[in-house]
């Protein structure tokens, strides 16, 4: 199971840290990903990280602003979001895949409930 948290309302230029706590299985051979979705649009890839080696991949739209990292001891993946923009407003989801650095929603099989991020201008 995956449980995302940390969303909220923030002004443009501000920061938020999202958390995704994982339970119920070993994740050593998984990739953990963050996606986001706004009404009427498809779920968009944000970032992902391999659980074992910590290799990361980012969408171009968030490179240099967002950082994904994991705490193995806490079985938790984080998404540090800095320099937030109004266009970052969305519901953010975490998910897992057995594929290495999957970057499409179709590649992910387990999803947590989303956490809403609103960035005001």
């Amino acid at each position: 199971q995956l449980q995302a948290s940390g969303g909220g309302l923030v002004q443009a230029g501000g920061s938020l840290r999202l958390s995704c706590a994982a339970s119920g299985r070993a994740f050593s051979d998984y990739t953990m990903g963050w996606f986001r979705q706004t009404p009427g649009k498809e779920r968009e890839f944000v970032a992902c990280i391999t659980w074992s080696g910590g290799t990361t991949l980012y969408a171009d739209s968030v490179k240099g602003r967002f950082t994904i990292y994991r705490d193995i001891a806490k079985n938790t993946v984080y998404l540090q979001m800095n320099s937030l923009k109004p266009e970052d407003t969305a519901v953010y989801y975490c998910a897992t895949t057995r594929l290495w650095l999957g970057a499409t929603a179709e590649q992910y099989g387990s999803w947590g409930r989303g956490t809403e991020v609103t960035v005001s201008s």
Side-chain angles (χ1 to χ4, degrees), residues 31-45:
T31 291
M32 309 292 287
W34 284 99
F35 289 77
R36 63 189 182 187
Q37 190 170 25
T38 54
K41 292 189 177 181
E42 294 186 352
R43 204 161 285 189
E44 174 192 18
F45 171 74

Side-chain angles (χ1 to χ4, degrees), residues 46 58-63:
V46 175
Y58 294 92
D60 288 343
S61 59
V62 306
K63 277 182 183 176

Side-chain angles (χ1 to χ4, degrees), residues 17-87:
R17 189 181 75 164
L18 305 183
S19 301
C20 177
S23 62
R25 67 176 72 176
F27 291 93
S28 59
D29 55 347
Y30 281 74
T31 291
M32 309 292 287
W34 284 99
F35 289 77
R36 63 189 182 187
Q37 190 170 25
T38 54
K41 292 189 177 181
E42 294 186 352
R43 204 161 285 189
E44 174 192 18
F45 171 74
V46 175
C48 65
I49 185 168
T50 59
W51 190 258
S52 58
T55 303
T56 59
L57 180 68
Y58 294 92
D60 288 343
S61 59
V62 306
K63 277 182 183 176
R65 300 188 298 121
F66 291 10
T67 302
I68 187 171
Y69 61 100
R70 83 265 192 254
D71 185 326
I72 294 175
K74 295 183 178 179
N75 240 24
T76 300
V77 173
Y78 300 94
L79 185 68
Q80 177 67 45
M81 306 186 296
N82 299 328
S83 302
L84 282 162
K85 304 175 181 180
E87 51 263 44

